[in-house]
Amino acid sequence: MSDLGYDVAHMLGAVVLLMSFALLYQRRLFSLLNVFTMQALALTATAAWQAYSHGEPHLYITALLTLVLKAILIPVALHRIVVKMKIHRTIEPALGIGLTMVAGVSLVTLSILLVLPVTADATALTRENLALSLSVVLLGLLMMISRRNAVSQVVGFMSIENGLILAAVGVAGMPLVVEMSVAFSVMVAFIIFGIFLFHIRERFDTLDMQKIESFRGESD
């Protein structure tokens, strides 16, 4: 890969990671969904660039699936769920934004320390791409832990899956069947999450996980 190809691939991966931090920073649901869309678009560009630079046409299919599912269908569906269910649109974090960002930086540092030593024989781009991917996965997990709203936790789960896709497209020779199975699994998970959200809303009239926990405490 030329120096330009390496720089572009590295920049696109860094944008995906930057969008993970932007997700942690958001306090309103619609802004959160917009940032998730931008992360999906950056991931789409990453897959398309890897397809072009490595000469792997099947990655164009991955890019197309990411664009359609993650950048269009899922954000639109979540937007409609928020509107239809009249969900409170301000996100109440379990941790303050400052503490969440510090935790996020710590997780990125941990990812680098874990990935780089065990991938010493891989190419520089593969090593950095895997470190970025693990960082995105851990930041998505942090978002699920640090947010009380169920919709924002769904977005955190989808962000974790974005990290897995970033890892798949960054490793040369990844079979298409693996990428197709990832896309199928995320659609199944999203449908399950959607049904789950509607049932929670009907039962508790809220999607705030702290309030739902209080209902359980009262029932005990």
Side-chain angles (χ1 to χ4, degrees), residues 190-208:
F190 180 74
I191 292 171
I192 293 173
F193 270 124
I195 296 172
F196 180 65
L197 290 178
F198 276 107
H199 279 291
I200 290 179
R201 180 68 177 183
E202 290 178 359
R203 173 66 178 83
F204 298 103
D205 197 33
T206 182
L207 288 179
D208 189 310

Side-chain angles (χ1 to χ4, degrees), residues 33 73-83 151 154-155 190 197:
L33 296 179
L73 292 182
I74 290 177
V76 169
L78 286 174
H79 188 281
R80 290 184 176 179
I81 287 174
V82 171
V83 173
V151 174
V154 171
V155 173
F190 180 74
L197 290 178

Side-chain angles (χ1 to χ4, degrees), residues 129-189:
N129 208 64
L130 289 176
L132 289 170
S133 302
L134 181 57
S135 298
V136 173
V137 169
L138 293 179
L139 290 178
L141 181 61
L142 175 62
M143 183 173 177
M144 293 186 69
I145 295 172
S146 64
R147 295 295 180 270
R148 295 173 179 167
N149 184 280
V151 174
S152 61
Q153 292 178 351
V154 171
V155 173
F157 174 81
M158 296 298 170
S159 181
I160 290 175
E161 200 266 341
N162 283 348
L164 297 178
I165 294 178
L166 182 62
V169 302
V171 177
M174 179 66 69
L176 177 61
V177 65
V178 175
E179 295 158 13
M180 292 290 289
S181 64
V182 170
F184 178 74
S185 65
V186 72
M187 280 303 298
V188 172

Side-chain angles (χ1 to χ4, degrees), residues 57-176:
H58 69 275
L59 288 179
Y60 286 117
I61 300 176
T62 302
L64 180 61
L65 288 173
T66 303
L67 176 64
V68 174
L69 297 178
K70 308 299 288 294
I72 299 175
L73 292 182
I74 290 177
V76 169
L78 286 174
H79 188 281
R80 290 184 176 179
I81 287 174
V82 171
V83 173
K84 184 175 181 180
M85 299 175 66
K86 299 179 181 179
I87 299 171
H88 186 58
R89 299 174 190 179
T90 300
I91 302 172
E92 297 182 6
L95 295 175
I97 297 298
L99 287 176
T100 302
M101 290 298 176
V102 171
V105 172
S106 301
L107 290 175
V108 172
T109 303
L110 177 63
S111 300
I112 295 172
L113 294 177
L114 288 175
V115 170
L116 295 188
V118 300
T119 56
D121 296 332
T123 64
L125 180 60
T126 298
R127 298 174 69 198
E128 293 175 4
N129 208 64
L130 289 176
L132 289 170
S133 302
L134 181 57
S135 298
V136 173
V137 169
L138 293 179
L139 290 178
L141 181 61
L142 175 62
M143 183 173 177
M144 293 186 69
I145 295 172
S146 64
R147 295 295 180 270
R148 295 173 179 167
N149 184 280
V151 174
S152 61
Q153 292 178 351
V154 171
V155 173
F157 174 81
M158 296 298 170
S159 181
I160 290 175
E161 200 266 341
N162 283 348
L164 297 178
I165 294 178
L166 182 62
V169 302
V171 177
M174 179 66 69
L176 177 61

